[in-house]
Amino acid sequence: MMKINCNETLAVSLHRVFNADLNEHGTVFGGRILELVDGEASVAAMRVTRSTVVTAAMDHVQFLKPFQLQDSMCMEAYVTGVGHRSLEVFVKVIGEHLMTGERFIGFSCFMTYVIQDPKKVIQYDQLIPQTAEQKVMVAGYAARRQHRKENRQKQAAIINSISKDKPWKI
């Protein structure tokens, strides 16, 4: 049985908010946050797989509080569950008002990654949480995984109903 600690997968980075990150409301554009989060989470995933991974899903996405100019965004990502070829990564983004030092939770989500090479598998079969937060996140993995499986089955019917016809063809 191979074990890995959540902290061994931890990826942390800081991003200062600049004008180029802002939307017309003066807050960080949601797509920019998603881009940064996906990059951060992939580092945590690859610390487990030591292989190229692809993003399979992003769920439980919560934009909790907006980030603005003069804020920094501290992204933290760590693995919260492992399967045979896929794994789950929890990501949170903590904001800091750089002029006051006030910190806030601005964003959180779970990312699912799959190993790109179909011949490779995850070598770890046990994930060891170390903090109170990690214990909660790891404990919820099985339920989230089951929910994703059920959702994929429901989505299959929707996907099969999507037309590939040219929209202007009558």
Side-chain angles (χ1 to χ4, degrees), residues 45-87:
M46 289 182 72
R47 286 187 170 152
V48 170
T49 65
R50 296 299 177 195
S51 182
T52 302
V53 294
V54 294
T55 307
M58 176 183 274
D59 54 43
H60 296 83
V61 174
Q62 296 186 83
F63 292 91
L64 299 164
K65 190 167 181 184
F67 301 94
Q68 301 173 332
L69 205 58
Q70 304 298 336
D71 285 348
S72 70
M73 300 182 342
C74 178
M75 289 161 280
E76 298 179 36
Y78 56 88
V79 175
T80 50
V82 294
H84 185 67
R85 292 192 56 246
S86 67
L87 51 85

Side-chain angles (χ1 to χ4, degrees), residues 57-130:
M58 176 183 274
D59 54 43
H60 296 83
V61 174
Q62 296 186 83
F63 292 91
L64 299 164
K65 190 167 181 184
F67 301 94
Q68 301 173 332
L69 205 58
Q70 304 298 336
D71 285 348
S72 70
M73 300 182 342
C74 178
M75 289 161 280
E76 298 179 36
Y78 56 88
V79 175
T80 50
V82 294
H84 185 67
R85 292 192 56 246
S86 67
L87 51 85
E88 176 191 79
V89 178
F90 172 69
V91 186
K92 65 181 177 181
V93 183
I94 307 298
E96 180 182 351
H97 299 304
L98 295 173
M99 302 301 265
T100 66
E102 177 193 349
R103 293 173 55 85
F104 61 94
I105 301 170
F107 177 89
S108 70
C109 75
F110 290 92
M111 305 281 303
T112 302
Y113 291 91
V114 176
I115 297 174
Q116 186 174 30
D117 184 341
K119 297 176 188 139
K120 291 195 174 185
V121 296
I122 294 173
Q123 300 299 312
Y124 300 100
D125 48 13
Q126 188 174 6
L127 187 64
I128 310 297
Q130 296 165 285

Side-chain angles (χ1 to χ4, degrees), residues 2-62:
M2 291 190 60
K3 302 175 184 179
I4 188 167
N5 295 327
C6 286
N7 282 349
E8 292 177 76
T9 73
L10 182 64
V12 179
S13 69
L14 285 169
H15 177 81
R16 181 171 171 196
V17 176
F18 289 107
N19 283 320
D21 298 318
L22 303 178
N23 59 28
E24 70 275 15
H25 308 292
T27 60
V28 175
F29 178 61
R32 179 70 173 131
I33 294 171
L34 297 176
E35 174 189 12
L36 292 167
V37 161
D38 191 18
E40 189 74 24
S42 71
V43 172
M46 289 182 72
R47 286 187 170 152
V48 170
T49 65
R50 296 299 177 195
S51 182
T52 302
V53 294
V54 294
T55 307
M58 176 183 274
D59 54 43
H60 296 83
V61 174
Q62 296 186 83

